[in-house]
Amino acid sequence: MMVYLMACASIMRTPEHFTCFLLLVSVIHAANYGPTDRIFLNCGANGEISDDDGRKWTSDMNASSSVGNSLASDAATQKPSVPTTPYMSARIFQSEFTYSFTVSSGRKFVRLYFYPADYAKHVAKLGVFSVDIGPYSLLRNFSAFETATNLNYDFFSKEYSVNTGSGGDLNVTFTPDPNTPDSYAFINGIEIVPHPDDIYSSKGFTLVGASGSFGIDNTTALENVYRLNVGGQTISASGDTGLFRRWGDDTPYIYGSAIGIPVAADQNVTISYPSGFPDYVAPVEVYKTARAMLPNPQANLGFNLSWYFDVDTGFTYLVRLHFCEIAPDKTKPNQRVFEILINNQTAEAAADVILWASESKVPVYKDYGVFLPLGSPRQDLWLALHPNTYMTPMDYNAILNGIEIFKVNTSGGNLAGSLPNPIPSQPIIDPSRVLPLSKSDHKGGIIGGSIGGGLAGIVFVSLVVCFLSHKGKRQKNQNSSDRTSNWLPLSLYGNSDATAKTYGSYAPSNLGRHFTFAEIKDATNNFDEDRLVGVGGFGKVYRGEIDGGTTKLAIKRGNSLSGQGVNEFRTELEMLSKLRHRHLVSLIGYCEENSEMILVYDYMAHGTLREHLYKTQNQPLTWKQRLDICIGAARGLHYLHTGAKHTIIHRDVKTTNILLDENWVAKVSDFGLSKTGPAMDHTHVSTVVKGSFGYLDPEYYRRQKLTEKSDVYSFGVVLFEILSARPALNLTLSKEQVSLAEWALHCHKKGILDEILDPYLRGKVSPECFTKVAEIAVKCLADEGIRRPSMGDVLWNLEFALQLQESAGEGSVEMENDETPLNGKSKDFNESVTDSTSITSQSLASVDSNGLTPSAVFSQIMNPNGR
Ligand SMILES: *[C@@H]1O[C@H](CO)[C@@H](O)[C@H](O)[C@H]1NC(C)=O
Ligand SMILES: *[C@@H]1O[C@H](CO)[C@@H](O)[C@H](O)[C@H]1NC(C)=O
Ligand SMILES: *[C@@H]1O[C@H](CO)[C@@H](O)[C@H](O)[C@H]1NC(C)=O
Ligand SMILES: *[C@@H]1O[C@H](CO)[C@@H](O)[C@H](O)[C@H]1NC(C)=O
Ligand SMILES: *[C@@H]1O[C@H](CO)[C@@H](O)[C@H](O)[C@H]1NC(C)=O
Ligand SMILES: *[C@@H]1O[C@H](CO)[C@@H](O)[C@H](O)[C@H]1NC(C)=O
Ligand SMILES: *[C@@H]1O[C@H](CO)[C@@H](O)[C@H](O)[C@H]1NC(C)=O
Ligand SMILES: *[C@@H]1O[C@H](CO)[C@@H](O)[C@H](O)[C@H]1NC(C)=O
């Protein structure tokens, strides 16, 4: 490829003319591309370099370090995850700049590559700019830095599909944001790959939830916002069909604990593309893997297999779903029929892949249009599959192989939207901007930092003291209210989805809705003691109502006197405002007037998990409910540990910090003590020991070694608490029974673990399921963190236990399933092969010893080398 540069002057003709323009314009012209020409432009780099996919990237300059008003620069730092090509060099523009590519006619993928770092004197934060291609506005007021921060990515690329009329130029224009002082634009790489015009265009797509249809013609520009190989692994650019599309993993988008089951066709199975179905629609690997519902038809009726996608509102989206029936026993119509819902609207009432494709192992795809009306800037686009019972199919199940979601340009040619919603990361909000700083704040940190490993004894003593003093408090609290059975900061309540939907008026700070003190007083009837639902170290929690009683809230009012309270308040505010997960409470808002520290959450109708376990008037929870709650809580913790670049350690996992909403969905709460740990590395966070006695990781209080495995330990205690319906600590029992963790391990060693089972559950828990849950709980309590499973393994094993229970519940001992042979695998499982290998080989053994035949599904999912 030849790229040559034209200096500004040659375009602007005269120096006078030149100075008239506030924004300089210069052009890089790339010439002579035939119809199959692909352009990989490594902006700001020298020479020709190959990337990890073996593609050759060409420099956008000819051994010249400065072109017109632009500047070539290497990134100041290379984060370990960042590939060198094309990310480590950039071209920087301080005024408008156009790359002009001479291309053939037809549609092209244009991919823009960004690594927001400091470049020469230009700091990452000031890279705010617009990008246009001809009449299409791709990005406006775009900050690659904030995008990467919110997505928790180090680098990213954006993909567009545009039509270049009857040949000629494709002009990509970068313009620094005029409203940001010292702003600049930058680009690390530009890729232009022609694609067949017919892949994504059509005269009519049905609009879901609306009458009519819309078409994609040669005037439409698209932005690909999601492209997933459902149930399979990431397919890199070189694994695609010559179009260099990347197909990602779908697990981060699955909603709730019902993740179904990944399935895969045998290696020797041939996927046959029918005539009129070009190979380039999607690679074979997309069709060879899928996600299906569980092998248990009755259980499947109880849930939707759902995916949630954060998108901009005010656009129409093209949702393309790829299907291919790969289960050997599904070869005829009406064997697997399901409903497809998009944004709570029926897109397809009776999807039957075999009926559509007419044969098994033949791919088919379906396109749906969805319009998201303008509301709050972003919203979830939500896809759900549910078995169709009306058609009385052979099986109640559903399957999906791939998802592509495209944003369609508005009538004005716009594709630009807002920043993606933040997902967890290290807090970057400067709390001093938001909250009053108290002078005593820094003390805690200094004391914490100076406690060394040698002082463990003192820490231990202070814990005991702390425990005793809390015990006193607890007794007092019990007198004042029968619901306040807690002695550490009591729970927060929230519901992320309701939050996002009910409260459009989010403060720009992203910390949630700002309430005035008057509103809070009004909502709580001036902090009426009758509304008290809890008291903790931080302060009091009230039930509140707004909007004429239609919206219930939990309002946590901080003790402004407590220095620790300020810290915890701040931690919690920062953490919660960044976390969004079905199984984590999330914040609705806060109030910071009159030196009040108030956090506002959704009201959680069923209170804490502990209130439903023992010393309670409440109906005991069924075993299935308990398992679902464990799975939900495990999912929340797993998300804290791995959902973010920086591991978040909860530090205070216990049954009073697991809350239940009106649908008994478990939500992990109380992040007052949370710590973020360093990403990707297994060094620990050294810190003053905090947490709750009875749940504390022994390694943590012995050596102040805090890792995410400390949460795993506490979660093991929670599991035993649920199994046995007794407190983690019970001082009225004999010495060896005081600590539940020690007692459970003792019983396990003696082989009498079933003695600790909650009498209410006797005869209601399948022995295989009990063994499985007890086994995972014992592993969680391993003395050394390194020997404990990860939360992902715990989650996987609990889901397996649930399946054991459900198959036993139906009287079918054999793990009947319809997906054999499968060799998909669980991502969670895969994340920590060492830990899980030992667990799963044991779980297989224990299943065997109980006379169960582990099906091919599970044995293959458990095989880490499955694919
Ligand atoms: C680019 O550089 C090469 C040698 O370095 C030179 O032969 C060639 O003419 C240059 N091209 C342009 C367009 O300046
Ligand atoms: C530009 O984006 C920033 C956040 O990245 C936002 O604060 C600002 O309001 C936006 N400006 C405009 C004009 O949209
Ligand atoms: C779009 O297609 C129509 C015919 O279908 C053609 O007349 C028109 O020139 C095309 N426009 C572009 C921009 O390619
Ligand atoms: C692209 O930019 C060049 C130089 O500014 C201009 O001559 C050409 O008309 C532009 N082409 C399109 C399609 O906008
Ligand atoms: C594919 O391999 C499996 C064993 O791995 C075998 O049972 C099956 O018959 C093979 N199918 C074909 C079509 O060769
Ligand atoms: C599945 O989703 C639909 C549409 O959102 C909803 O009406 C239905 O209640 C859901 N079913 C279950 C079992 O969650
Ligand atoms: C989904 O739609 C049903 C009625 O079709 C409605 O009752 C329900 O509230 C909706 N769910 C959500 C979450 O919007
Ligand atoms: C997309 O933008 C182009 C250029 O502004 C416009 O002609 C076309 O109508 C837009 N498409 C849609 C679907 O609005």
Side-chain angles (χ1 to χ4, degrees), residues 179-214:
N179 301 317
T180 308
D182 297 324
S183 68
Y184 66 95
F186 78 97
I187 182 73
N188 300 93
I190 301 177
E191 174 186 341
I192 299 177
V193 172
H195 74 74
D197 288 1
D198 62 353
I199 311 191
Y200 300 112
S201 47
S202 155
K203 286 197 189 66
F205 300 113
T206 321
L207 270 172
V208 175
S211 52
S213 64
F214 80 102

Tab-separated table of all heavy atoms in Angstrom, residues 179-214:
chain	number	residue	atom	x	y	z
A	179	ASN	N	-15.158	22.774	22.934
A	179	ASN	CA	-15.556	23.220	24.278
A	179	ASN	C	-14.599	22.786	25.374
A	179	ASN	O	-14.768	23.154	26.528
A	179	ASN	CB	-16.950	22.680	24.610
A	179	ASN	CG	-17.971	23.147	23.603
A	179	ASN	OD1	-17.953	24.316	23.218
A	179	ASN	ND2	-18.810	22.251	23.144
A	180	THR	N	-13.637	21.946	25.037
A	180	THR	CA	-12.688	21.503	26.047
A	180	THR	C	-11.355	22.214	25.806
A	180	THR	O	-10.745	22.021	24.758
A	180	THR	CB	-12.472	19.974	25.954
A	180	THR	OG1	-13.739	19.348	25.967
A	180	THR	CG2	-11.606	19.454	27.082
A	181	PRO	N	-10.921	23.037	26.728
A	181	PRO	CA	-9.650	23.743	26.512
A	181	PRO	C	-8.509	22.734	26.365
A	181	PRO	O	-8.498	21.713	27.052
A	181	PRO	CB	-9.481	24.573	27.791
A	181	PRO	CG	-10.816	24.577	28.463
A	181	PRO	CD	-11.534	23.352	28.016
A	182	ASP	N	-7.609	23.009	25.437
A	182	ASP	CA	-6.433	22.163	25.193
A	182	ASP	C	-6.804	20.747	24.762
A	182	ASP	O	-6.030	19.811	24.956
A	182	ASP	CB	-5.537	22.073	26.439
A	182	ASP	CG	-4.968	23.420	26.827
A	182	ASP	OD1	-4.657	24.195	25.892
A	182	ASP	OD2	-4.867	23.698	28.033
A	183	SER	N	-7.998	20.586	24.213
A	183	SER	CA	-8.373	19.245	23.772
A	183	SER	C	-7.595	18.887	22.516
A	183	SER	O	-7.076	19.756	21.819
A	183	SER	CB	-9.866	19.188	23.482
A	183	SER	OG	-10.161	19.969	22.343
A	184	TYR	N	-7.509	17.621	22.269
A	184	TYR	CA	-6.866	17.142	21.047
A	184	TYR	C	-7.591	15.883	20.605
A	184	TYR	O	-8.349	15.290	21.374
A	184	TYR	CB	-5.376	16.863	21.290
A	184	TYR	CG	-5.122	15.726	22.247
A	184	TYR	CD1	-4.895	14.426	21.774
A	184	TYR	CD2	-5.117	15.929	23.626
A	184	TYR	CE1	-4.685	13.377	22.654
A	184	TYR	CE2	-4.912	14.882	24.515
A	184	TYR	CZ	-4.696	13.609	24.015
A	184	TYR	OH	-4.501	12.567	24.871
A	185	ALA	N	-7.373	15.512	19.345
A	185	ALA	CA	-7.929	14.253	18.851
A	185	ALA	C	-6.768	13.307	18.618
A	185	ALA	O	-5.635	13.741	18.418
A	185	ALA	CB	-8.683	14.493	17.557
A	186	PHE	N	-7.042	12.017	18.708
A	186	PHE	CA	-5.970	11.068	18.397
A	186	PHE	C	-6.568	9.791	17.835
A	186	PHE	O	-7.753	9.508	18.019
A	186	PHE	CB	-5.125	10.761	19.637
A	186	PHE	CG	-5.779	9.800	20.594
A	186	PHE	CD1	-5.455	8.440	20.565
A	186	PHE	CD2	-6.726	10.242	21.500
A	186	PHE	CE1	-6.057	7.552	21.443
A	186	PHE	CE2	-7.333	9.349	22.371
A	186	PHE	CZ	-7.001	8.005	22.350
A	187	ILE	N	-5.718	9.057	17.145
A	187	ILE	CA	-6.142	7.765	16.617
A	187	ILE	C	-4.913	6.853	16.560
A	187	ILE	O	-3.834	7.293	16.188
A	187	ILE	CB	-6.818	7.925	15.231
A	187	ILE	CG1	-7.310	6.587	14.683
A	187	ILE	CG2	-5.906	8.593	14.217
A	187	ILE	CD1	-8.530	6.035	15.369
A	188	ASN	N	-5.095	5.615	16.971
A	188	ASN	CA	-3.979	4.672	16.956
A	188	ASN	C	-3.956	3.822	15.691
A	188	ASN	O	-2.893	3.455	15.210
A	188	ASN	CB	-4.048	3.730	18.162
A	188	ASN	CG	-3.989	4.466	19.467
A	188	ASN	OD1	-5.015	4.801	20.049
A	188	ASN	ND2	-2.787	4.778	19.923
A	189	GLY	N	-5.126	3.513	15.195
A	189	GLY	CA	-5.150	2.683	13.997
A	189	GLY	C	-6.478	2.819	13.273
A	189	GLY	O	-7.510	3.066	13.901
A	190	ILE	N	-6.435	2.722	11.956
A	190	ILE	CA	-7.659	2.744	11.157
A	190	ILE	C	-7.625	1.526	10.247
A	190	ILE	O	-6.629	1.263	9.574
A	190	ILE	CB	-7.758	4.021	10.296
A	190	ILE	CG1	-7.723	5.265	11.181
A	190	ILE	CG2	-9.036	3.992	9.448
A	190	ILE	CD1	-7.748	6.568	10.393
A	191	GLU	N	-8.708	0.798	10.238
A	191	GLU	CA	-8.793	-0.389	9.401
A	191	GLU	C	-9.998	-0.220	8.485
A	191	GLU	O	-11.069	0.173	8.934
A	191	GLU	CB	-8.985	-1.606	10.322
A	191	GLU	CG	-9.228	-2.898	9.597
A	191	GLU	CD	-9.565	-4.042	10.571
A	191	GLU	OE1	-9.265	-3.928	11.769
A	191	GLU	OE2	-10.170	-5.008	10.100
A	192	ILE	N	-9.796	-0.476	7.227
A	192	ILE	CA	-10.921	-0.403	6.288
A	192	ILE	C	-10.977	-1.717	5.525
A	192	ILE	O	-10.024	-2.095	4.841
A	192	ILE	CB	-10.768	0.792	5.324
A	192	ILE	CG1	-10.741	2.091	6.146
A	192	ILE	CG2	-11.919	0.819	4.325
A	192	ILE	CD1	-10.525	3.323	5.325
A	193	VAL	N	-12.063	-2.426	5.702
A	193	VAL	CA	-12.201	-3.744	5.082
A	193	VAL	C	-13.527	-3.769	4.326
A	193	VAL	O	-14.580	-3.574	4.920
A	193	VAL	CB	-12.202	-4.853	6.171
A	193	VAL	CG1	-12.536	-6.201	5.559
A	193	VAL	CG2	-10.868	-4.900	6.882
A	194	PRO	N	-13.476	-3.956	3.005
A	194	PRO	CA	-14.736	-4.015	2.258
A	194	PRO	C	-15.545	-5.217	2.712
A	194	PRO	O	-14.980	-6.255	3.065
A	194	PRO	CB	-14.283	-4.217	0.801
A	194	PRO	CG	-12.821	-4.017	0.782
A	194	PRO	CD	-12.308	-4.225	2.165
A	195	HIS	N	-16.851	-5.059	2.780
A	195	HIS	CA	-17.664	-6.237	3.065
A	195	HIS	C	-18.825	-6.296	2.086
A	195	HIS	O	-19.256	-5.268	1.565
A	195	HIS	CB	-18.109	-6.271	4.532
A	195	HIS	CG	-19.174	-5.316	4.915
A	195	HIS	ND1	-20.496	-5.472	4.567
A	195	HIS	CD2	-19.119	-4.167	5.647
A	195	HIS	CE1	-21.205	-4.466	5.079
A	195	HIS	NE2	-20.399	-3.658	5.721
A	196	PRO	N	-19.310	-7.490	1.795
A	196	PRO	CA	-20.394	-7.613	0.820
A	196	PRO	C	-21.580	-6.740	1.231
A	196	PRO	O	-21.934	-6.680	2.411
A	196	PRO	CB	-20.752	-9.099	0.888
A	196	PRO	CG	-19.527	-9.767	1.441
A	196	PRO	CD	-18.907	-8.781	2.362
A	197	ASP	N	-22.164	-6.068	0.262
A	197	ASP	CA	-23.257	-5.143	0.551
A	197	ASP	C	-24.454	-5.837	1.184
A	197	ASP	O	-25.224	-5.228	1.907
A	197	ASP	CB	-23.720	-4.457	-0.746
A	197	ASP	CG	-22.701	-3.455	-1.242
A	197	ASP	OD1	-21.642	-3.323	-0.593
A	197	ASP	OD2	-22.948	-2.819	-2.278
A	198	ASP	N	-24.610	-7.125	0.896
A	198	ASP	CA	-25.853	-7.777	1.291
A	198	ASP	C	-25.825	-8.390	2.691
A	198	ASP	O	-26.812	-8.944	3.121
A	198	ASP	CB	-26.222	-8.850	0.261
A	198	ASP	CG	-25.167	-9.942	0.173
A	198	ASP	OD1	-24.089	-9.788	0.807
A	198	ASP	OD2	-25.406	-10.950	-0.516
A	199	ILE	N	-24.692	-8.325	3.395
A	199	ILE	CA	-24.701	-9.014	4.691
A	199	ILE	C	-25.733	-8.407	5.628
A	199	ILE	O	-26.501	-9.111	6.240
A	199	ILE	CB	-23.373	-8.927	5.476
A	199	ILE	CG1	-22.179	-9.269	4.659
A	199	ILE	CG2	-23.422	-9.853	6.674
A	199	ILE	CD1	-20.946	-9.423	5.555
A	200	TYR	N	-25.686	-7.098	5.761
A	200	TYR	CA	-26.541	-6.493	6.773
A	200	TYR	C	-27.650	-5.644	6.184
A	200	TYR	O	-28.341	-4.946	6.907
A	200	TYR	CB	-25.704	-5.659	7.749
A	200	TYR	CG	-24.653	-6.480	8.464
A	200	TYR	CD1	-23.305	-6.292	8.220
A	200	TYR	CD2	-25.025	-7.472	9.372
A	200	TYR	CE1	-22.341	-7.057	8.869
A	200	TYR	CE2	-24.073	-8.240	10.016
A	200	TYR	CZ	-22.731	-8.024	9.764
A	200	TYR	OH	-21.790	-8.785	10.395
A	201	SER	N	-27.805	-5.648	4.873
A	201	SER	CA	-28.847	-4.777	4.346
A	201	SER	C	-30.065	-5.578	3.919
A	201	SER	O	-29.972	-6.736	3.549
A	201	SER	CB	-28.323	-3.933	3.193
A	201	SER	OG	-27.625	-4.740	2.297
A	202	SER	N	-31.178	-4.926	4.010
A	202	SER	CA	-32.427	-5.582	3.647
A	202	SER	C	-33.485	-4.514	3.543
A	202	SER	O	-33.360	-3.438	4.124
A	202	SER	CB	-32.805	-6.596	4.717
A	202	SER	OG	-34.185	-6.804	4.711
A	203	LYS	N	-34.534	-4.819	2.802
A	203	LYS	CA	-35.586	-3.811	2.636
A	203	LYS	C	-36.448	-3.711	3.872
A	203	LYS	O	-36.951	-2.662	4.198
A	203	LYS	CB	-36.431	-4.151	1.431
A	203	LYS	CG	-35.705	-3.858	0.136
A	203	LYS	CD	-36.682	-3.814	-1.036
A	203	LYS	CE	-35.943	-3.731	-2.358
A	203	LYS	NZ	-35.170	-4.959	-2.639
A	204	GLY	N	-36.624	-4.810	4.563
A	204	GLY	CA	-37.536	-4.708	5.700
A	204	GLY	C	-37.219	-5.633	6.862
A	204	GLY	O	-37.162	-6.843	6.710
A	205	PHE	N	-37.008	-5.027	7.990
A	205	PHE	CA	-36.923	-5.777	9.236
A	205	PHE	C	-38.163	-5.454	10.039
A	205	PHE	O	-38.563	-4.293	10.108
A	205	PHE	CB	-35.716	-5.344	10.074
A	205	PHE	CG	-34.414	-5.548	9.383
A	205	PHE	CD1	-33.644	-4.468	9.003
A	205	PHE	CD2	-33.946	-6.820	9.126
A	205	PHE	CE1	-32.439	-4.653	8.369
A	205	PHE	CE2	-32.734	-7.014	8.489
A	205	PHE	CZ	-31.983	-5.921	8.110
A	206	THR	N	-38.723	-6.441	10.685
A	206	THR	CA	-39.864	-6.185	11.554
A	206	THR	C	-39.389	-5.357	12.735
A	206	THR	O	-38.339	-5.630	13.309
A	206	THR	CB	-40.396	-7.517	12.103
A	206	THR	OG1	-40.320	-8.461	11.053
A	206	THR	CG2	-41.804	-7.379	12.610
A	207	LEU	N	-40.158	-4.381	13.087
A	207	LEU	CA	-39.846	-3.618	14.294
A	207	LEU	C	-40.553	-4.283	15.467
A	207	LEU	O	-41.777	-4.397	15.464
A	207	LEU	CB	-40.310	-2.171	14.154
A	207	LEU	CG	-39.304	-1.195	13.575
A	207	LEU	CD1	-39.950	0.150	13.321
A	207	LEU	CD2	-38.094	-1.034	14.486
A	208	VAL	N	-39.783	-4.717	16.433
A	208	VAL	CA	-40.356	-5.405	17.583
A	208	VAL	C	-41.139	-4.410	18.427
A	208	VAL	O	-40.650	-3.318	18.717
A	208	VAL	CB	-39.242	-6.063	18.428
A	208	VAL	CG1	-39.819	-6.666	19.692
A	208	VAL	CG2	-38.526	-7.114	17.612
A	209	GLY	N	-42.349	-4.787	18.798
A	209	GLY	CA	-43.153	-3.944	19.678
A	209	GLY	C	-43.746	-2.747	18.976
A	209	GLY	O	-44.220	-1.820	19.606
A	210	ALA	N	-43.688	-2.716	17.652
A	210	ALA	CA	-44.287	-1.611	16.913
A	210	ALA	C	-44.758	-2.185	15.590
A	210	ALA	O	-44.272	-3.222	15.155
A	210	ALA	CB	-43.261	-0.511	16.672
A	211	SER	N	-45.694	-1.527	14.985
A	211	SER	CA	-46.103	-2.023	13.675
A	211	SER	C	-45.115	-1.466	12.670
A	211	SER	O	-44.455	-0.465	12.907
A	211	SER	CB	-47.521	-1.567	13.371
A	211	SER	OG	-47.599	-0.178	13.553
A	212	GLY	N	-45.006	-2.136	11.542
A	212	GLY	CA	-44.148	-1.632	10.488
A	212	GLY	C	-42.763	-2.217	10.522
A	212	GLY	O	-42.446	-3.081	11.340
A	213	SER	N	-41.953	-1.720	9.619
A	213	SER	CA	-40.612	-2.278	9.482
A	213	SER	C	-39.675	-1.156	9.082
A	213	SER	O	-40.109	-0.039	8.820
A	213	SER	CB	-40.623	-3.365	8.423
A	213	SER	OG	-40.947	-2.795	7.177
A	214	PHE	N	-38.422	-1.443	9.055
A	214	PHE	CA	-37.477	-0.456	8.560
A	214	PHE	C	-36.445	-1.177	7.720
A	214	PHE	O	-36.234	-2.376	7.859
A	214	PHE	CB	-36.824	0.301	9.722
A	214	PHE	CG	-35.711	-0.452	10.374
A	214	PHE	CD1	-34.385	-0.140	10.108
A	214	PHE	CD2	-35.978	-1.511	11.227
A	214	PHE	CE1	-33.360	-0.839	10.696
A	214	PHE	CE2	-34.958	-2.215	11.810
A	214	PHE	CZ	-33.645	-1.885	11.551
